[in-house]
Amino acid sequence: MHYSEAVTIADLREIARKKLPRSVFGFLDGGAHDERTLRDNEDDFGRLRFAPRFMIDVSQRSQSVTVLGDTFKSPMILGPTGLAGVFWPDGDIAVARASEKTGIGFCQSTNSNCSIEQVASRGHKHFWFQLYVQKDRGFSRSIGRAHV
């Protein structure tokens, strides 16, 4: 099955499991430590249900929100995914472009395969950066100063 034929998240997961090296898939699919939070999140999402309302005019609807001074078309923010470039060529740039195109937020990981400058010039103009504060505080400060 090709990813364009996937219908469910389970379909995408199975495609990834077959195509990615085992260690890469394990990183993508797994959680930290005993994976309890991962299971709890899956259970919580599994309890969500859509409640469709018929015969409602949605031609003028708006989902826009303002978060920290940035306005987005939808209350979604793509969270930081370390090593996205391992899963897809220029992964962070592709995700940043998609979020820019759709008008939703994006946060780049400290563990990105590309630089902040690459995302800013080829992906998203306004985005956040998840900084893992390093033991070397000078290095952490230099990242913040260089990109403000």
Side-chain angles (χ1 to χ4, degrees):
M1 175 187 292
H2 187 264
Y3 73 87
S4 64
E5 299 168 7
V7 175
T8 67
I9 296 298
D11 291 343
L12 291 171
R13 183 179 181 275
E14 186 60 20
I15 292 166
R17 188 186 64 74
K18 288 178 179 176
K19 290 189 176 243
L20 294 172
R22 188 178 193 163
S23 61
V24 174
F25 178 75
F27 174 79
L28 175 66
D29 191 56
H33 305 294
D34 63 2
E35 298 187 335
R36 181 177 180 119
T37 301
L38 173 64
R39 288 190 307 276
D40 289 348
N41 287 339
E42 289 173 341
D43 291 345
D44 289 345
F45 278 114
R47 285 191 285 277
L48 293 175
R49 299 288 182 264
F50 287 105
R53 292 184 283 163
F54 302 96
M55 305 298 287
I56 303 290
D57 180 8
V58 294
S59 62
Q60 300 298 317
R61 64 129 180 100
S62 173
Q63 296 179 186
S64 67
V65 296
T66 301
V67 180
L68 300 175
D70 289 326
T71 301
F72 302 109
K73 292 180 183 177
S74 182
M76 294 179 63
I77 298 171
L78 299 177
T81 303
L83 307 176
V86 171
F87 310 116
W88 193 264
D90 291 328
D92 283 302
I93 293 169
V95 172
R97 281 183 181 153
S99 67
E100 177 94 347
K101 183 177 180 180
T102 56
I104 62 176
F106 171 69
C107 182
Q108 183 181 1
S109 171
T110 296
N111 291 329
S112 174
N113 293 89
C114 59
S115 70
I116 294 171
E117 293 83 4
Q118 288 171 311
V119 170
S121 67
R122 295 173 39 211
H124 206 300
K125 303 302 176 224
H126 303 283
F127 62 96
W128 295 303
F129 183 76
Q130 170 207 36
L131 175 64
Y132 286 134
V133 177
Q134 307 295 313
K135 208 174 217 180
D136 178 353
R137 297 292 202 247
F139 174 74
S140 296
R141 280 191 286 280
S142 72
I143 291 173
R145 276 194 300 274
H147 308 292
V148 174

